[in-house]
C-alpha cells in the first residue's frame, strides 16, 4: 500500500481546483510547515473568496489580512491554517469559534467537530453562556487577555488556540483551562489583526 504525502493526499481528495487556492496551499501553508492533511483538505475545499468583500475577492488568497466591510479583518491564510492545525479538532468535541466577522474560520471547523458555537468578539467578551461546556476555544484574532466571562463557558481542561498581542507583537498561542485559570504558550510569531473587544483595561501611571 502506497503512503501518500500531505500534498498527494490533497490531490487524491480532488481539492483546490482553484489555481489561487492551490498556490495558497503550496506557497504559504506547506512552505511554513503547515502540512496536516486535514488542514490542506479543508482549506482546499472552502472558497475563501466568498468570505471577503466583493471588491477584495482578487486578494482572497494573498498572504495578507483583508479588511472587511464592518472594519474588522480576515487574517492571512497562514494564520488560520496554523490555528486549525494547532487545534487538531476532534469529531466528538464542542467548540467555540470567536469570529471577527468573516465566517471563514468557522466554516473550516464545521465538519470537524460535533457542535460549533460561533460568537462575535463582543458577545464572547459579554456575560452570555452560549457554548457553555465547550472543549475547544479558537479565537480568530489577537487578544491581550481572555475575559473571565468567556473562560467560564469552557469545560475544565478545554483546549485553547488564539492569537495573543503583547506590546504590539502578535503570536499564535495554545493552552488549556485548568480550574479558574488559563495558561497560554506562544508557538508561532506572525502578524494577526488585534480584536479590540479583548484589550486589557487601560490604567494610568503617575
Amino acid at each position: 500500500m502506497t503512503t501518500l504525502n500531505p500534498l498527494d493526499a490533497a490531490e487524491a481528495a480532488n481539492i483546490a481546483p482553484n489555481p489561487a487556492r492551490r498556490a495558497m496551499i503550496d506557497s504559504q501553508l506547506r512552505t511554513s510547515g503547515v502540512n496536516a492533511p486535514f488542514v490542506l483538505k479543508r482549506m482546499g475545499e472552502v472558497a475563501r473568496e466568498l468570505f471577503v468583500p466583493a471588491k477584495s475577492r482578487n486578494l482572497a488568497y494573498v498572504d495578507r489580512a483583508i479588511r472587511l466591510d464592518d472594519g474588522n479583518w480576515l487574517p492571512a491564510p497562514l494564520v488560520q491554517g496554523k490555528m486549525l492545525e494547532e487545534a487538531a479538532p476532534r469529531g466528538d468535541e464542542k467548540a467555540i469559534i470567536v469570529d471577527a466577522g468573516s465566517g471563514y474560520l468557522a466554516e473550516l471547523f464545521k465538519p470537524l467537530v460535533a457542535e460549533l458555537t460561533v460568537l462575535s468578539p463582543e458577545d464572547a467578551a459579554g456575560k452570555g453562556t452560549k457554548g457553555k461546556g465547550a472543549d475547544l476555544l479558537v479565537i480568530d484574532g489577537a487578544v491581550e487577555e481572555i475575559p473571565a466571562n468567556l473562560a467560564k463557558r469552557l469545560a475544565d481542561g478545554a483546549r485553547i488556540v488564539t492569537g495573543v498581542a503583547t506590546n504590539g507583537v502578535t503570536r499564535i498561542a495554545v493552552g488549556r483551562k485548568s480550574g479558574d485559570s488559563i495558561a497560554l504558550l506562544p508557538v508561532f510569531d506572525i502578524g494577526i489583526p488585534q480584536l479590540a473587544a479583548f484589550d486589557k483595561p487601560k490604567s494610568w501611571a503617575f
Side-chain angles (χ1 to χ4, degrees):
M1 177 176 170
T2 302
T3 300
L4 298 176
N5 68 35
L7 184 58
D8 291 336
E11 291 175 330
N14 194 30
I15 68 165
N18 179 298
R21 209 177 306 162
R22 180 56 184 271
M24 171 192 71
I25 290 172
D26 289 343
S27 64
Q28 295 179 47
L29 302 183
R30 298 189 72 240
T31 58
S32 298
V34 177
N35 286 303
F38 81 93
V39 176
L40 303 184
K41 184 173 187 295
R42 285 303 294 151
M43 294 191 73
E45 289 171 337
V46 177
R48 185 176 164 90
E49 65 270 22
L50 300 182
F51 297 86
V52 300
K55 63 185 178 183
S56 299
R57 285 183 179 172
N58 63 319
L59 303 174
Y61 297 99
V62 175
D63 184 19
R64 54 173 281 189
I66 297 175
R67 192 172 184 87
L68 304 174
D69 287 335
D70 62 2
N72 287 315
W73 294 83
L74 171 68
L78 179 57
V79 173
Q80 291 162 321
K82 187 67 175 175
M83 284 186 168
L84 182 56
E85 185 171 67
E86 291 291 340
R90 303 161 191 164
D92 61 349
E93 287 184 310
K94 295 173 58 177
I96 292 175
I97 302 289
V98 178
D99 178 76
S102 73
Y104 177 70
L105 188 62
E107 186 65 25
L108 294 178
F109 272 83
K110 272 183 183 178
L112 304 177
V113 294
E115 183 178 325
L116 182 65
T117 298
V118 182
L119 302 174
S120 70
E122 294 72 24
D123 287 343
K127 295 182 178 180
T129 60
K130 192 176 179 182
K132 189 173 178 62
D135 308 296
L136 173 65
L137 168 66
V138 182
I139 301 177
D140 194 17
V143 307
E144 292 185 348
E145 64 178 4
I146 295 179
N149 288 329
L150 178 56
K152 289 178 182 177
R153 306 188 200 206
L154 305 180
D156 193 37
R159 298 178 298 112
I160 301 161
V161 179
T162 183
V164 293
T166 307
N167 298 324
V169 178
T170 58
R171 302 174 174 91
I172 292 175
V174 299
R176 284 188 180 272
K177 177 185 176 182
S178 179
D180 294 328
S181 64
I182 285 176
L184 294 173
L185 175 67
V187 294
F188 194 74
D189 290 10
I190 190 169
I192 309 171
Q194 191 165 333
L195 301 178
F198 295 88
D199 287 352
K200 291 181 179 178
K202 299 298 184 288
S203 59
W204 291 94
F206 295 94

